[in-house]
Amino acid sequence: GHESPSCRNQMNHHANTQYTSHRRTLELQLTSAFYTFRSLLLLPQMSWRPTYRSSKFRNVYGKVANREHCFDGIPITKNVHDNHFCAVNAKYLAIVTESSGGGSFIVIPVSQAGRIEPHHPKVCGHHGNVLDIKWNPFFENIIASCSEDSSVRIWEIPDGGLRRNMTEAMMELYGHSRRVGLIEWHPTSSGILFSAGYDYKILIWNLEQGEPVKMIDCHSDVILCMSFNTDGSLLATSCKDKKLRIIEPRSGRVLQHANCKNHRVNRVVFLGNMKRLLTTGVSRWNTRQIALWDQEDLSMSMVEEEIDGLSGLLFPFYDADTHMLYLAGKGDGNIRYYEITTEKPYLQYLMEFRSPAPQKGLGVMPKHGLDVAACEVFRFYKLVTLKGLIEPISMIVPRRSETYQEDIYPMTAGTEPALSASEWLSGINRDPVLISLKEGYQKPNQIVFKAPVKDKKGVVVNGIDLLENMPPRTENELLRMFFRQQEELRKMKEELTTKDVKIRQLELELNNLKNVSPVVNNV
């Protein structure tokens, strides 16, 4: 029954080994704890505060409108172009629709939510797919559209909305040789419109004359995005050539540019008067990414932050009044929001709105169209293609007080232009005309938007006739050129017919005078 000496030795050896192992582990833990404690003592700048700052927008939440306040039954376009296909102002909601034999969009008064009739009137004058639509910020009945038919058109929507299909535009602007993918209104001038085409050019249109006055020709590939600073004196562009540019638009001079190899830029937005830019794009590992830039120095980004590994485009929306940035992914239902500060870490993550329904695009309501009584600071109109649904999403600051919240509603840009087109073109810069939302937005713009009357002629910009001898590059372009020429021929035939009628009338009057004159002589 007694243990043998060899067995006892093995047990002692095993016990010694375990003791040594435990001792080493304890020594390592104590050493690590000592050095950690010492580093904390030697670094007095380290703070025990939480990682987030206190912010009045910390608890902003997204609220989806009830079904009766959504817009249902809309055949949203299936076009894969990277735009929102949606534009909204305080009066109307416009959505690009799926159509055959040309491009069209639907205009609905914002107050008339609910199911839309299948035969609701459309704006359908374009000969190709509509790629972008934008409401004039100063005239709520004026909307611009651009299309694959290489034209830009200006439309005037009658009060109360459309009663029948609209085919005749207020203005037809031809100057691009290929399809036009982007349009942007100037933020402070009433009659200036920018358009970017697949001919790699940006045209500046003076709508007081109905003609292009400047061609910006510094891009070597398709322009993906355009954004203005607050007074419209600077234009930022992102391009497929992987360059981010800041341009002085009146001269066309590139003031700054960045070669974005590690961060492929898709979208760019000016951050109000902070002298900063924010871009969304893709990192070298194909993850979605945002980057912050100093507009005075684009040699290197200030901050780069990876968002997630999804593939859809990230649309940035910046609210200069609250300094909040919203990031919405195309093809997913997420909207993340951040607060932007002038001090490090610059970007403060707040929260995320999640929805299972993917968004194709998002329209944004201007500030004077928000519900101030509900503390609404931002409102999206989300396009849900699969359901044919437009879903309003309100971003709300949760507050119990029923009084006006002045700290979240500072003075904001209104609907009165600060400049005319000719003033801006002459070199004048002015900040937007601000309004208060305290008494509710009431003052409509008294100026009337008028289309200029002009003869059809060649479009000459920078000494180049933009429409002369431009050969079509693809079969689609050939068809578009054919349709455009057919339209011009139809108008010329109408003019010839009216002139023929006038000539006949004049000939008859001349004959009458000849017949009367001998009688007079005889008398």
Side-chain angles (χ1 to χ4, degrees):
H2 294 286
E3 293 177 352
S4 66
S6 62
C7 184
R8 195 181 298 113
N9 287 338
Q10 282 181 357
M11 287 174 68
N12 288 337
H13 178 71
H14 182 66
N16 287 335
T17 306
Q18 277 191 325
Y19 171 76
T20 308
S21 174
H22 283 309
R23 184 176 175 179
R24 281 178 184 166
T25 305
L26 277 169
E27 283 175 353
L28 285 169
Q29 286 176 347
L30 283 167
T31 306
S32 174
F34 169 75
Y35 280 113
T36 304
F37 182 69
R38 194 178 74 165
S39 65
L40 288 172
L41 289 174
L42 293 173
L43 293 173
Q45 70 268 28
M46 286 191 69
S47 171
W48 294 103
R49 289 178 299 172
T51 54
Y52 61 85
R53 320 184 285 117
S54 61
S55 167
K56 55 194 163 195
F57 303 111
R58 180 78 202 159
N59 298 310
V60 168
Y61 67 95
K63 182 182 178 183
V64 181
N66 297 330
R67 189 72 183 200
E68 60 265 22
H69 293 119
C70 296
F71 300 82
D72 200 2
I74 298 170
I76 300 166
T77 180
K78 294 182 175 66
N79 197 307
V80 294
H81 191 69
D82 282 333
N83 269 344
H84 294 292
F85 300 110
C86 175
V88 64
N89 63 21
K91 285 173 78 172
Y92 300 109
L93 172 67
I95 305 106
V96 179
T97 55
E98 189 68 15
S99 61
S100 56
S104 66
F105 59 95
I106 195 168
V107 176
I108 310 158
V110 170
S111 57
Q112 293 179 16
R115 187 153 191 86
I116 308 302
E117 293 298 319
H119 301 295
H120 192 282
K122 294 184 177 72
V123 179
C124 48
H126 282 286
H127 302 305
N129 290 326
V130 175
L131 298 179
D132 199 8
I133 48 175
K134 294 276 167 57
W135 289 105
N136 188 312
F138 310 111
F139 302 94
E140 294 188 322
N141 289 51
I142 303 295
I143 188 168
S145 63
C146 63
S147 164
E148 288 184 347
D149 64 9
S150 74
S151 75
V152 177
R153 301 190 187 206
I154 312 296
W155 311 85
E156 184 173 19
I157 307 301
D159 287 329
L162 298 175
R163 291 168 185 83
R164 58 180 177 273
N165 283 355
M166 181 180 276
T167 55
E168 289 294 320
M170 192 182 190
M171 274 188 259
E172 293 180 21
L173 308 173
Y174 290 102
H176 289 281
S177 60
R178 302 186 71 186
R179 59 182 171 163
V180 187
L182 279 173
I183 44 175
E184 286 289 343
W185 291 95
H186 193 274
T188 59
S189 176
S190 55
I192 296 288
L193 180 72
F194 284 61
S195 63
Y198 276 63
D199 52 6
Y200 313 156
K201 294 174 176 59
I202 295 173
L203 292 182
I204 305 175
W205 300 89
N206 179 355
L207 300 185
E208 291 174 1
Q209 300 172 359
E211 292 178 349
V213 289
K214 181 70 189 174
M215 180 173 69
I216 299 171
D217 190 13
C218 60
H219 299 86
S220 58
D221 210 325
V222 177
I223 298 137
L224 301 173
C225 185
M226 296 187 287
S227 176
F228 289 100
N229 65 342
T230 308
D231 65 1
S233 60
L234 295 175
L235 175 72
T237 64
S238 59
C239 181
K240 262 192 176 176
D241 63 10
K242 298 180 182 176
K243 285 187 181 179
L244 172 66
R245 294 175 175 85
I246 295 177
I247 300 164
E248 203 292 306
R250 282 171 292 218
S251 66
R253 193 161 54 93
V254 179
L255 304 177
Q256 290 276 333
H257 79 271
N259 289 309
C260 307
K261 291 175 183 174
N262 298 335
H263 168 76
R264 292 201 308 276
V265 174
N266 286 322
R267 289 289 180 274
V268 58
V269 62
F270 264 103
L271 300 180
N273 285 324
M274 285 187 175
K275 297 203 170 182
R276 304 269 161 82
L277 295 165
L278 185 121
T279 58
T280 67
V282 182
S283 72
R284 62 166 76 180
W285 296 282
N286 281 335
T287 56
R288 296 199 292 192
Q289 194 179 45
I290 57 174
L292 193 67
W293 307 78
D294 181 352
Q295 79 175 41
E296 306 291 340
D297 180 16
L298 297 185
S299 59
M300 187 178 291
S301 60
M302 297 166 67
V303 175
E304 285 183 11
E305 189 171 315
E306 293 193 9
I307 303 299
D308 56 33
L310 298 178
S311 59
L313 186 75
L314 270 179
F315 291 118
F317 301 90
Y318 181 66
D319 182 0
D321 297 341
T322 59
H323 304 297
M324 282 179 70
L325 170 77
Y326 300 85
L327 294 179
K330 184 180 179 180
D332 60 67
N334 302 340
I335 301 173
R336 297 169 177 86
Y337 33 107
Y338 300 75
E339 193 170 7
I340 308 273
T341 59
T342 52
E343 299 160 2
K344 286 185 178 181
Y346 306 119
L347 285 164
Q348 187 67 50
Y349 175 76
L350 295 174
M351 219 182 284
E352 183 175 358
F353 168 82
R354 292 194 174 194
S355 165
Q359 57 226 5
K360 184 181 181 69
L362 293 157
V364 173
M365 174 65 78
K367 270 297 172 78
H368 60 264
L370 299 179
D371 185 357
V372 175
C375 293
E376 184 185 34
V377 290
F378 216 73
R379 191 192 302 162
F380 292 102
Y381 283 77
K382 172 178 169 177
L383 275 62
V384 186
T385 313
L386 297 173
K387 299 179 184 177
L389 185 71
I390 312 296
E391 203 174 52
I393 302 169
S394 298
M395 311 308 291
I396 294 171
V397 178
R399 292 195 177 175
R400 290 182 182 177
S401 173
E402 293 180 4
T403 56
Y404 179 71
Q405 306 294 305
E406 201 138 1
D407 60 326
I408 60 173
Y409 294 115
M411 297 283 281
T412 189
T415 60
E416 187 183 337
L419 293 162
S420 67
S422 52
E423 283 176 324
W424 182 78
L425 289 166
S426 69
I428 302 170
N429 292 321
R430 281 194 201 124
D431 285 330
V433 179
L434 302 180
I435 59 167
S436 170
L437 302 179
K438 185 170 185 177
E439 304 302 326
Y441 177 72
Q442 295 163 348
K443 187 181 173 185
N445 195 353
Q446 300 300 317
I447 309 166
V448 179
F449 190 89
K450 289 183 180 177
V453 179
K454 64 187 187 69
D455 296 327
K456 189 79 176 175
K457 60 186 180 190
V459 180
V460 179
V461 182
N462 300 1
I464 303 165
D465 190 337
L466 299 178
L467 298 180
E468 187 184 19
N469 301 324
M470 280 291 190
R473 303 185 194 183
T474 63
E475 189 179 341
N476 283 338
E477 284 184 23
L478 184 65
L479 282 170
R480 285 196 292 275
M481 189 171 280
F482 170 74
F483 285 130
R484 194 169 74 198
Q485 288 173 350
Q486 289 290 99
E487 184 69 17
E488 286 176 8
L489 282 171
R490 184 185 65 77
K491 288 183 179 176
M492 288 169 78
K493 282 177 182 175
E494 283 178 4
E495 283 180 20
L496 278 172
T497 308
T498 54
K499 284 177 180 175
D500 282 342
V501 171
K502 282 183 182 176
I503 289 166
R504 282 176 199 153
Q505 286 174 348
L506 288 167
E507 283 176 346
L508 284 169
E509 286 176 15
L510 193 62
N511 285 334
N512 287 338
L513 284 169
K514 282 179 181 176
N515 291 333
V516 170
S517 58
V519 175
V520 173
N521 290 334
N522 289 332
V523 173

